[in-house]
Every structure is written in structure tokens, then in C-alpha cells.
Amino acid sequence: MTTTTFTSTEGTFQNPLFQKWSGPYGGVPSFDKYKVSDFRPATEFAIQENLNELDAIADNLEAPTFENTIAALENSGKTIARINAVYGIYSSNIFTKEFGVVETEMSPKLSALSDKMYQNDRLFSRIETLYNSKDKEKLNREQQRLVWLYYTNFVREGAKLNHDDKIKVAGINQELATLFTRFSQNLLAEENSQYVILETNADFEGLPVEIKNAAIAEAKERNINALGCIANTRSSIEPFLTFSTRRDLRKKAFDIFVKRGDNGNENDNNETLISILKLRAQKAKLLGFNSFAEWSLSNKMAKDPAKTLELMNSVWKPAVEKVQQDVAEMQKMVNAEGGDFKIQPWDYRYYAERVRKAKYDLDQNEVKQYLQLENLREAMFWVAGELFNLSFKQITNVSVFHPDVRVWEVRNKVTGKAVGLWYFDPYARVGKRSGAWMDSCRDQEKLDGDVLPIVSNNCNFIKGNENEPVLISWDDATTLFHEFGHALHGLCSNVTYPSLAGTAVARDYVEFPSQLLEHWLATPEVLNKFALHYKTNEPLPQSMVDRIEQAANFNEGFATVETISSSFVDMELHLTTETIDPDKFEKETLEKLNMPSEIVMRHRIPQFAHIFSGDGYAAGYYSYLWADVINADAYEAFMEGKGPYDKEVAKRLYDTVFSVGNTVDNETGYENFRGRAPKSDALMRARNFPIKEKI
């Protein structure tokens, strides 16, 4: 049993989750001490502690000042923030049924804490007074930005509503928190419990050695009486669809993946997402918006849903045309081999890879021999050193939440000053959500001393056999660099106030730094130094580098259609205020778009965790395309200069983007870097699409 003790004056709490982080680097989480049973009592006490802090600020008898109101808010909630950081790791990285019970109970309580803050009339009155005060001009730029942020966030969350409507919004938010948790847990349950069994040697036909080994290891880990199995996660399914010669098994793998959350069983997500959409529409109406999409975009760069649809439409047609051209080449191959079938979605990756090999003499398996995970990690470190003067040193004096996790100390290699910590959790396992993401365990700040950021990158690579290097695909290597871009955005932060730090920017801007870093993977400097054959240690041959460059835009139509179709559906879901039938809505929306029958959405509605496990990307999945416009334009700044490692351009990127967080308006920040607004022509050039109109 976990014992807890309280004292009214000190607030002492013996639960390890409640304790301040201790140890090096300004304190680190004590993962070796935490237990699932600690979360409920620690969270409940920390919630009440934070409410007391908020009341103390709101009830201050002195006239509101920046220090006694805004700065005080920035210094509040430290305990619940620490607990939430660990809570998020348990939810995403080491989920268990035991934790699921706690998460289901705590999610609405954490939502209620947020509502009680935003609906505290006395607190908002102080913020509003500061926002409208002429003395605001005496504050520095960062302080003015923070006052603006607090005021607009409070208004956006309903601070100006009447009492009855505030109660309704709070009730909706708590219901949503429960539904978000249910959606996520259902999806994870589907991924954990479903797989494709490989029973005979013939079932492995076409699979590269490392995928075979991973399938064998997966079966052993699950105690399945079979030669191997393919787990129901993107990191396992997509390679299988790419290389397996067994069309029947490809269809099985495809089916379990695209039907996650849509199987009419206890984990079906359809009723849950319908309820989420209804509640979001109700909330938006209460807050004075015509739709949830309008409310969601009210604090984004795009502002207006129509602008996002305009951007998506401008790219959609050339992408579909490219898909049609690619499919025609694939179909020729099928017909030439006597295949009596039309290309289907479970065929697309397989035949695309064969066409790539035939057209460019480029075999992903051949390239993969040079893409060792650990070498690519070192490549990312090297790029960070070249661009931002960062150095990385692995440390072992901090505890981790799983044996797979490793930690690096990050320093400025010029000054020697510690910058932060980077945790790396690279491998797939049961209880870990699929995909790849960056987490911020602690944001950088200078208000409460010089607080170092703690960030992590989390992936789902297949570990394979012990003592063998993990080889990853070019696409996975690109994802690795992408997520590291998010990590660098957090590590490079150099601001005073935590609410403005690192990645705390508009959702349709936050993907820009991460997408930008992807470009450095393909630079000759990285390939020659780090793309080394796992057996011979020879660098990637120049002939193969040339072929990679020639094939750079191959399959771009597929990737664009797959992603933008999801963006269209997301936006349309949140523009409607009617009750929908998810399958029918998805089908009709895609038909209106003339969606190619050979491709499905990257995220079908019942498994669309981006938009249904929280509000973060709801009516915001377009952000990847929006940010890609900025990214393509920004990389051209390097190419107009001395190339990818241009020190002057890199310094400007650090000074105006990576280090400033949300201390300046994001559009202004980009213009400070580029000297102008981004031009969408750069995106069309990057994807080798025809430039027909301005966006």
C-alpha cells in the first residue's frame, strides 16, 4: 500500500509522484519509484493544490499586476504538471489495464481542473484588467505576448459566458475527456489484440530478413503457437504490405489495420466518435461559433476553414493525377504477369515498390542495408551540432520508464552550457501506442531559475534479433528526423515563461520545424558519413544516392492523397453540426473528392486518434499541409544561400524560429526568418506538381 501524509502548512505528501524531481539537471523524474497505484491519490491532491493556488491569485486584494497575476499563474500548477508528464508517459508508452482504470477515472477530473481555472470570474477579471490597461505597454514584448495569450485563451474557453452556459461547457468538457480516453483505449486494445498469423514458410515469401525476424520475435513475445505474426501497428503492417508476395495475406493485414475501431465489437469507436462530434458542435455553439471547425481555427494561423479547404483543393487535383499515372504503371505490371485483378489498396505499396525498382533501379531493401537506426541517431546529433551548435552525450545516472529507453545530455558545444535532456524510446511493444511522437516532459523557462527542458522521441521500430543492428526504411528514417525536429524545437527554446516555450505555438505552425529537419537526411554530408552498410561499413554508393535523388518524388501522389483525404474528412466532420453515420460520411465525402479507389485515408474515421483522442488536431489535421508550405519555402532559403549547412541561415532559423517559442506572432516570426511571407510555389516544386495557381 502507498502511504500518504498531509500537513496543512507544508503540504507534505509522501507519495513519490507528488515529490519534486530531484537529482541532476535541475531534477528528473524518478521512474524507478512510481507505481500505478500512486496516480489517483497524487493527482487528486495536486488538483486541489492547484485550485488553492488559483484562488490565492484570484483573491489577492492588491491591484492586478503582471507579477501578482500573470507571473503568479506561470509559477502555479508545478505539481500537477510534473504528475501529468509522468501520467502521459504511462498512457502512451507503458499502458496497462490497471493504468487504464485510473486514466478513465482521472481524465474528467483533470478536465474539470482546466474548466475551474478558465471559469474563475475573479481570476479572469484580473487578467482582463491587465489586458485592457494602458500600462501594458510598459511590459516587455514577451510579457505583452503572455498577457495576450492568457486573455485570448480564457475568452476562447468561455470566460465571458453566463453562469449557466459555463456549467454546460464544463459538463461537455468532462464528457469529452471520458470519451477521448475511451477512444484511445479502444484503439490500443484493437492494436494489441489483433495480428496476422504466419503459419508456414510460404507465408514469409518476399519479406526481408529483418521483417521475418521481427515477425518471429513478435510471435514468441505473444506466446503464439505459429512461426510468426504481423502486429496490427503501422510499423509492422506497412512493411508487410510493401514486400509480401502473398496477396491473400496482404489483404488480411490491410483489413485488420483499416478496420481498427470499426469492428462492431466491444472496442468499436463509432458511437464514441459520434458522441464526441455532437458534444463539440454543442460546445462551439455555446462559445458563439457556427461550428467546431471555426472554434478550433480561431487560434490557428489559418483562422478560417475556407483557407484550409482552398489550400487542400489546390494540391488535391495534381496529386490525384499523379496517383492515376502511377497506378497505370502498376496495372501494366500486373497485366504483364497475367494477374487477373485491378490494383486494390492492399496491392498499392507492393506494386509501387516494384515500379520504383524497375523505374529507378532503387530497391528499398537495398537502401535499408545502409540505414542503421543507431547510425541515423548519430546523424541527427551531428546535424543538430552543425545547425545549432548542440552536442549529445549519453548518460546513465537518471532513471527511465522502460529498459528500452536511453537518455542523452544536451549541451551547447561552444559555451559548454547544459541545454536539456533527450530521452529516446525507439521500439514497439505491447502497451505502447502506435506511431511516432515527441513529448515534452518539462518545458524550458527562466522564471523559476534556469529550468532545462526534458524532451523525448518515441517510435515503434521493430527490434528484431539481439545483437543485430536495427535497419529501417527511408520513410522511417524521414519520420525519425521529423520527430527529432520537434525535439530540437523544445531543446532550443530560450524564453522566460513556460507557457510560451518550445513547441507551444499554433498547431498549424508546430509541424514546420519538424518537417523542415527531414530535408537534412538526404544531404550528402549525412549519407556519406552515417549511411553505412551494416555488414561492410561502406558508405552508401554515390550511384545509389543519385538514384534516391531521382526517385525523391516517386509515390508523392500517394502520400499526398493519403494524407489530404484525411484532412478533408477531418475538416468536413467538424464543419457539420448534424449527427453523422461515420462509414456513410466517410464514403460520401471521399466520393465527392473523387478519391482514387486504390488508396484509403491515412486515418479512417474510427481510428483517427489525432482528432478523437483529444482536441489537439481536431479540425487541424490540415496542419501538416499548411506547415509543409512553410517548410518548403524555408528550405529554399538554405538553397538560395550556401546550401543546407549555411551557418548564417541556420543562425537566423535558430534566432527567429527554434529559440523563440510563442513569444512572437508565428506569421511575424516566419517573416523575421525569411524576410517575407511563405510562397506556396515552393511546395509544388518540392512535390514536383505543376504550379497552376497561387494559394
Side-chain angles (χ1 to χ4, degrees):
M1 294 288 291
T2 300
T3 58
T4 59
T5 61
F6 304 79
T7 67
S8 58
T9 55
E10 299 295 331
T12 304
F13 195 54
Q14 297 304 317
N15 184 315
L17 274 170
F18 196 80
Q19 300 299 316
K20 287 185 177 181
W21 295 347
S22 58
Y25 308 103
V28 293
S30 300
F31 290 112
D32 55 333
K33 296 179 181 177
Y34 305 142
K35 299 185 295 293
V36 172
S37 57
D38 294 331
F39 278 99
R40 183 182 289 104
T43 302
E44 288 178 339
F45 190 82
I47 286 173
Q48 187 56 55
E49 178 192 73
N50 192 204
L51 289 172
N52 293 343
E53 291 171 333
L54 295 173
D55 281 338
I57 298 168
D59 295 337
N60 190 336
L61 297 178
E62 296 178 3
T65 65
F66 180 87
E67 291 300 326
N68 70 21
T69 303
I70 304 299
L73 282 168
E74 288 291 278
N75 268 321
S76 69
K78 300 288 188 182
T79 305
I80 193 65
R82 289 195 305 272
I83 294 171
N84 272 339
V86 179
Y87 177 95
I89 288 168
Y90 270 71
S91 178
S92 297
N93 298 65
I94 47 176
F95 184 90
T96 61
K97 288 184 178 179
E98 182 189 8
F99 179 78
V101 174
V102 175
E103 185 180 44
T104 299
E105 184 180 347
M106 290 297 106
S107 291
K109 294 185 178 182
L110 289 166
S111 176
L113 170 62
S114 177
D115 287 324
K116 287 175 182 176
M117 178 181 76
Y118 286 121
Q119 297 184 5
N120 186 318
D121 291 334
R122 305 179 316 283
L123 186 58
F124 177 63
S125 176
R126 297 180 70 85
I127 295 169
E128 188 174 36
T129 298
L130 290 170
Y131 179 77
N132 292 322
S133 171
K134 291 181 180 179
D135 290 340
K136 185 174 64 174
E137 296 176 3
K138 298 177 183 178
L139 301 175
N140 66 38
R141 184 189 67 180
E142 190 173 340
Q143 291 171 334
Q144 290 182 40
R145 179 73 173 172
L146 191 58
V147 172
W148 169 86
L149 183 69
Y150 268 100
Y151 176 78
T152 53
N153 282 348
F154 268 72
V155 172
R156 189 170 180 271
E157 295 295 338
K160 289 191 170 185
L161 295 179
N162 62 47
H163 177 73
D164 290 345
D165 285 346
K166 283 181 179 178
I167 291 175
K168 290 176 184 176
V169 168
I172 287 172
N173 285 339
Q174 289 182 57
E175 285 187 70
L176 283 171
T178 298
L179 293 168
F180 295 155
T181 300
R182 184 184 304 161
F183 188 96
S184 299
Q185 291 183 4
N186 285 346
L187 184 57
L188 185 60
E190 295 270 273
E191 292 173 347
N192 283 343
S193 63
Q194 297 172 357
Y195 42 82
V196 174
I197 292 178
L198 305 180
E199 297 180 295
T200 67
N201 288 328
D203 294 345
F204 289 86
E205 286 181 5
L207 299 182
V209 172
E210 66 273 9
I211 297 177
K212 287 182 182 178
N213 291 340
I216 293 167
E218 186 73 25
K220 287 180 180 177
E221 185 177 339
R222 292 175 179 269
N223 294 316
I224 297 170
N225 186 23
L227 292 181
C229 77
I230 302 299
N232 194 17
T233 62
R234 192 175 297 277
S235 57
S236 294
I237 294 290
E238 287 188 355
F240 187 78
L241 293 176
T242 302
F243 297 111
S244 174
T245 60
R246 290 286 302 275
R247 190 167 188 252
D248 57 331
L249 293 181
R250 290 204 307 268
K251 186 176 188 306
K252 280 187 180 180
F254 175 84
D255 283 346
I256 66 167
F257 191 66
V258 301
K259 291 180 180 176
R260 290 170 298 152
D262 195 23
N263 289 303
N265 56 16
E266 62 182 359
N267 298 318
D268 192 278
N269 267 331
N270 285 292
E271 289 302 318
T272 300
L273 72 88
I274 289 169
S275 298
I276 289 172
L277 291 169
K278 284 181 180 177
L279 290 168
R280 281 175 171 162
Q282 292 171 20
K283 176 180 173 179
K285 186 176 180 180
L286 286 167
L287 292 169
F289 293 85
N290 293 321
S291 67
F292 182 84
E294 290 188 10
W295 177 82
S296 178
L297 267 72
S298 63
N299 68 344
K300 309 294 192 300
M301 288 182 73
K303 306 298 182 191
D304 181 1
K307 288 184 180 179
T308 72
L309 294 171
E310 182 184 355
L311 172 61
M312 289 187 273
N313 275 308
S314 70
V315 181
W316 178 256
K317 187 176 178 181
V320 170
E321 289 175 356
K322 183 68 168 62
V323 166
Q324 291 167 344
Q325 294 166 11
D326 292 344
V327 168
E329 290 192 63
M330 296 180 208
Q331 194 65 53
K332 283 181 185 177
M333 185 173 284
V334 171
N335 297 343
E337 295 172 348
D340 187 22
F341 60 86
K342 179 180 177 293
I343 292 287
Q344 298 297 324
W346 50 91
D347 300 314
Y348 200 109
R349 291 179 184 276
Y350 176 74
Y351 282 98
E353 178 58 22
R354 291 188 60 192
V355 169
R356 185 206 311 265
K357 188 174 181 180
K359 194 171 183 178
Y360 299 100
D361 190 24
L362 188 64
D363 184 343
Q364 277 201 67
N365 275 327
E366 190 181 359
V367 176
K368 202 171 185 178
Q369 312 307 308
Y370 296 86
L371 301 179
Q372 301 177 58
L373 176 60
E374 293 304 308
N375 281 4
L376 290 172
R377 176 187 51 70
E378 288 294 329
M380 298 190 308
F381 292 171
W382 183 81
V383 169
E386 292 297 301
L387 295 180
F388 303 131
N389 291 319
L390 298 181
S391 65
F392 292 75
K393 175 187 174 184
Q394 189 171 353
I395 57 174
T396 56
N397 60 334
V398 300
S399 65
V400 293
F401 52 86
H402 189 275
D404 285 345
V405 180
R406 290 166 290 161
V407 187
W408 277 261
E409 166 195 277
V410 187
R411 290 186 178 272
N412 183 299
K413 64 182 184 180
V414 176
T415 66
K417 182 182 177 183
V419 170
L421 293 179
W422 183 72
Y423 287 60
F424 190 37
D425 183 14
Y427 303 121
R429 58 177 171 269
V430 174
K432 185 179 185 181
R433 71 177 173 92
S434 61
W437 65 96
M438 170 266 193
D439 252 338
S440 177
C441 206
R442 182 175 67 204
D443 294 325
Q444 176 269 333
E445 63 163 292
K446 297 177 184 175
L447 182 62
D448 188 20
D450 198 356
V451 176
L452 300 180
I454 300 175
V455 303
S456 68
N457 280 148
N458 313 272
C459 310
N460 273 276
F461 298 120
I462 307 302
K463 189 183 289 187
N465 289 346
E466 202 170 336
N467 299 321
E468 287 186 2
V470 175
L471 305 179
I472 66 176
S473 69
W474 185 266
D475 286 348
D476 282 341
T478 302
T479 298
L480 189 67
F481 269 67
H482 175 102
E483 296 303 334
F484 190 62
H486 284 306
L488 291 179
H489 198 183
L491 288 167
C492 289
S493 180
N494 185 24
V495 307
T496 302
Y497 302 99
S499 290
L500 299 173
T503 59
V505 296
R507 182 68 68 177
D508 47 10
Y509 190 71
V510 75
E511 295 298 337
F512 153 49
S514 56
Q515 288 173 334
L516 182 62
L517 200 77
E518 294 175 20
H519 293 278
W520 274 266
L521 169 63
T523 59
E525 292 85 347
V526 164
L527 296 179
N528 292 332
K529 192 185 295 281
F530 299 100
L532 306 178
H533 195 281
Y534 79 106
K535 287 183 178 177
T536 67
N537 216 36
E538 290 294 316
L540 198 66
Q542 186 58 46
S543 60
M544 196 178 293
V545 173
D546 294 340
R547 282 177 277 153
I548 289 172
E549 187 174 330
Q550 290 164 9
N553 287 307
F554 178 78
N555 224 24
E556 193 65 68
F558 171 84
T560 304
V561 165
E562 185 190 45
T563 302
I564 297 184
S565 59
S566 295
S567 304
F568 268 119
V569 169
D570 166 38
M571 189 58 67
E572 295 293 349
L573 279 170
H574 291 104
L575 282 169
T576 186
T577 55
E578 298 176 2
T579 301
I580 66 151
D581 174 320
D583 287 342
K584 182 181 178 185
F585 187 92
E586 180 180 306
K587 183 173 183 291
E588 290 179 349
T589 304
L590 296 178
E591 283 176 351
K592 289 177 186 175
L593 287 170
N594 294 316
M595 175 79 164
S597 63
E598 299 86 1
I599 301 179
V600 296
M601 298 163 58
R602 184 167 179 81
H603 306 284
R604 289 194 56 244
I605 295 176
Q607 64 219 212
F608 208 160
H610 278 77
I611 68 174
F612 290 120
S613 62
D615 279 340
Y617 279 91
Y621 198 68
Y622 77 90
S623 299
Y624 289 96
L625 181 63
W626 188 273
D628 217 11
V629 170
I630 306 171
N631 147 52
D633 186 76
Y635 191 64
E636 287 193 349
F638 281 91
M639 303 316 290
E640 291 163 8
K642 298 176 183 177
Y645 298 94
D646 187 314
K647 297 293 185 184
E648 184 180 331
V649 179
K651 184 179 186 306
R652 193 163 73 244
L653 183 68
Y654 173 86
D655 290 341
T656 59
V657 177
F658 275 78
S659 68
V660 299
N662 199 21
T663 58
V664 296
D665 175 77
N666 300 152
E667 289 184 52
T668 302
Y670 184 76
E671 289 175 5
N672 290 341
F673 166 68
R674 196 69 166 103
R676 56 166 175 75
K679 295 179 180 179
S680 60
D681 286 2
L683 176 67
M684 306 302 275
R685 283 192 290 272
R687 299 194 179 195
N688 200 26
F689 291 163
I691 300 172
K692 295 181 179 179
E693 58 181 322
K694 300 295 181 184
I695 301 168

